[in-house]
Amino acid sequence: MSAAEGPLVVGVDTSTQSTKALVVDAATGQVVASGQAPHTVSAGAGRESDPRQWWDALCAALRQCGDAAHEAAAVSVGGQQHGLVTLDERGEPVRPALLWNDVRSAPQARRLVEELGGSKAWAERTGSVPGASFTVTKWAWLTEHEPETVRSTRAVRLPHDYLTERLTGEGTTDRGDASGTGWWASGTEAYDEEILAHVGLDPAVLPRVVRPGELAGTVRDSHDLPFSKGTLVAPGTGDNAAAALGLGLRPGTPVLSLGTSGTVYAVSERRPTDPTGTVAGFADARGDWLPLACTLNCTLAVDRVATLLGLDREAVQPGGSVTLLPYLDGERTPNLPNASGVLHGLRHDTTAGQLLQAAYDGAVYALLGALELVLDEDADRGTPLILIGGGARGAAWQQTVRRLSGRPVQVPRAGEPVALGAAAQAAGLLTGEDPAAVARRWNTAAGPVLEAVERDRETLGRITGVLSDAAPLLERRTEAQPHAESRAADDED
């Protein structure tokens, strides 16, 4: 380990398939040690993980960091959003966690929206119209299908809450992650008692919402982590809010994240309320807002198409008139939880490379359509689009985003923005700085800017037409949905 100028901090990213830990010099942003360990997601009808695997993976990742983790003065956890963790009176999981990409609660989501005033009322109240990803719909599903689990539950947590509580012994969350539950009201910045009563959830089982910059607790004695007792623990946050911190985002700068899921978001000083449900009105981890749109099908879906075609993921070819909507796992944007993939326009002369390019186009299309709704009306449309996630360094992804967006694209050199954002939050706890300012001091967003190219409006128009014409098919549930294969990539991979 090289000599550090300032105190060390640890940033954690616990995502769908793995937990990563970075030990960072708070003075310079230099990563002095890192570790990563996997966990698994169930196959079958749902998407579930045992939270104890996240803890085991965190321990393993920190052991890989060696003495540097033990020397850290503060730690923060960023984690996958929306997941429903149910704990018993001993703090042990009652059942595996229902993850963000478990869409079994789509019927409950529709009912909740109808029963509590409709989409506009939900958007005004919570900032979002809940879909099957949101925690409140998963609790409603659990109440309906597993009442014995509900009766045994004494605490309800999100994934990052679970790990933070195992560190400190105290049940806490933050406004960024709480805003993705569907039971936290963005207007009042408090739990919504009417929604909780409607779904039969006692507010006493929920974690305390820690304010930005507030201490969540300190590392307790009775655990097996290589932290010193008394190490400061920051509030942590959801993965997208952590990435926004890690990039040091200022209002109006758009981000497109290419992982298992695709997301577009930007920091805003205005509380978002989109009654269409396309934009989730999340809070950020600082006190502003993080309007965000998310798709379920991104890098993993495109990689699956490449595998079916026997091609390398970069083996795309231009031309042709084929359209592919890669909705292999249902879809969230647009809101089509029962959808499957749709292929249209196949000809004798269509090549495998053109089919693969069509999969990229279909995956990027929905994200760019939502981008205009995410950005404030007065945002500068010439600001480079920051590209992050596992797909960000792929040439095919970069060129597809440039061609369909018509915007310059910036690719930060620094990897792991979620873990870096958590580390910046931990550093801010020590120094009293705004975590986003810490990340800007670390220059985390620096990277090459790819110039804008002419926007491919022909392809965009063709996809729009196919999406409209295929609406009846996309609403129809197929026998194999949800998919039977477990996801094989991380949400940032």
Side-chain angles (χ1 to χ4, degrees):
M1 185 183 80
S2 59
E5 293 183 19
L8 299 180
V9 293
V10 172
V12 176
D13 173 12
T14 182
S15 52
T16 313
Q17 298 280 349
S18 71
T19 293
K20 306 161 191 171
L22 300 181
V23 183
V24 180
D25 182 345
T28 65
Q30 177 189 1
V31 177
V32 300
S34 64
Q36 178 173 350
H39 23 87
T40 59
V41 178
S42 68
R47 289 291 166 267
E48 303 180 355
S49 287
D50 184 344
R52 287 168 291 209
Q53 288 192 33
W54 307 336
W55 178 255
D56 292 342
L58 176 59
C59 293
L62 288 168
R63 282 194 294 270
Q64 293 170 31
C65 294
D67 292 340
H70 189 76
E71 296 172 12
V75 58
S76 178
V77 179
Q80 55 176 308
Q81 291 184 261
H82 303 306
L84 175 62
V85 180
T86 52
L87 305 176
D88 62 19
E89 67 279 355
R90 297 173 294 116
E92 292 296 322
V94 178
R95 69 172 325 279
L98 298 173
L99 303 186
W100 61 275
N101 51 354
D102 188 316
V103 297
R104 286 176 290 178
S105 63
Q108 288 75 24
R110 287 191 293 271
R111 285 206 300 270
L112 284 174
V113 172
E114 293 169 1
E115 291 167 357
L116 288 176
S119 298
K120 187 175 187 297
W122 272 92
E124 289 292 338
R125 190 173 199 155
T126 69
S128 304
V129 181
S133 295
F134 280 67
T135 326
V136 68
T137 72
K138 299 180 189 306
W139 178 260
W141 182 91
L142 205 63
T143 300
E144 184 175 330
H145 292 273
E146 297 182 17
E148 70 286 353
T149 297
V150 170
R151 285 191 292 269
S152 300
T153 297
R154 297 293 178 270
V156 170
R157 302 289 184 260
L158 297 165
H160 112 261
D161 306 343
Y162 173 77
L163 291 180
T164 300
E165 186 168 359
R166 289 204 62 169
L167 289 172
T168 65
E170 301 177 30
T172 61
T173 191
D174 90 303
R175 68 192 295 269
D177 219 1
S179 67
T181 60
W183 55 58
W184 185 84
S186 63
T188 60
E189 300 213 22
Y191 291 131
D192 190 304
E193 293 188 5
E194 184 181 354
I195 292 174
L196 292 174
H198 188 79
V199 297
L201 185 57
D202 184 349
V205 307
L206 298 177
R208 178 174 66 91
V209 182
V210 178
R211 296 186 301 273
E214 184 184 347
L215 183 69
T218 58
V219 173
R220 56 181 174 171
D221 207 9
S222 56
H223 64 87
D224 57 354
L225 283 178
F227 285 129
S228 301
K229 178 185 176 183
T231 299
L232 303 184
V233 181
T237 192
D239 51 4
N240 292 298
L245 290 182
L247 294 166
L249 285 190
R250 298 182 188 274
T253 300
V255 176
L256 195 156
S257 177
L258 300 168
T260 299
S261 65
T263 57
V264 286
Y265 55 85
V267 171
S268 175
E269 295 174 344
R270 305 168 188 167
R271 185 174 74 92
T273 56
D274 176 17
T276 72
T278 301
V279 176
F282 294 150
D284 76 352
R286 297 174 53 256
D288 286 329
W289 303 95
L290 196 72
L292 176 148
C294 176
T295 63
L296 294 182
N297 299 276
C298 196
T299 58
L300 187 60
V302 172
D303 284 351
R304 181 59 179 157
V305 172
T307 299
L308 289 171
L309 295 171
L311 296 178
D312 180 88
R313 66 178 62 171
E314 296 288 340
V316 296
Q317 289 180 301
S321 59
V322 66
T323 298
L324 179 55
L325 305 177
Y327 302 160
L328 308 189
D329 294 327
E331 191 45 81
R332 173 171 167 174
T333 303
N335 185 23
L336 297 164
N338 295 326
S340 56
V342 170
L343 176 63
H344 180 267
L346 193 63
R347 299 289 187 183
H348 277 290
D349 59 354
T350 302
T351 68
Q354 289 170 343
L355 271 177
L356 181 57
Q357 180 61 68
Y360 278 95
D361 291 347
V364 170
Y365 169 87
L367 289 167
L368 293 179
L371 178 61
E372 294 305 312
L373 296 174
V374 163
L375 288 170
D376 291 335
E377 291 181 3
D378 55 356
D380 181 359
R381 265 52 182 178
T383 301
L385 179 58
I386 296 180
L387 202 62
I388 63 171
R393 285 173 171 74
W397 281 111
Q398 291 177 1
Q399 298 312 314
T400 301
V401 171
R402 292 175 72 201
R403 179 171 52 83
L404 296 185
S405 71
R407 298 181 69 125
V409 171
Q410 183 172 353
V411 184
R413 293 189 186 89
E416 311 301 346
V418 175
L420 279 173
Q425 191 186 63
L429 197 63
L430 296 176
T431 65
E433 292 176 273
D434 173 356
V438 171
R440 289 194 290 270
R441 177 162 57 78
W442 292 349
N443 206 21
T444 53
V449 177
L450 309 176
E451 293 183 2
V453 299
E454 184 177 356
R455 198 171 193 190
D456 184 354
R457 298 187 185 279
E458 180 182 350
T459 296
L460 293 170
R462 188 174 69 247
I463 297 173
T464 298
V466 171
L467 181 59
S468 176
D469 292 343
L473 286 174
L474 293 168
E475 294 284 355
R476 187 182 304 166
R477 187 180 182 90
T478 62
E479 289 299 320
Q481 199 280 334
H483 59 37
E485 277 191 314
S486 177
R487 292 176 175 268
D490 207 284
D491 21 358
E492 287 294 332
D493 291 342

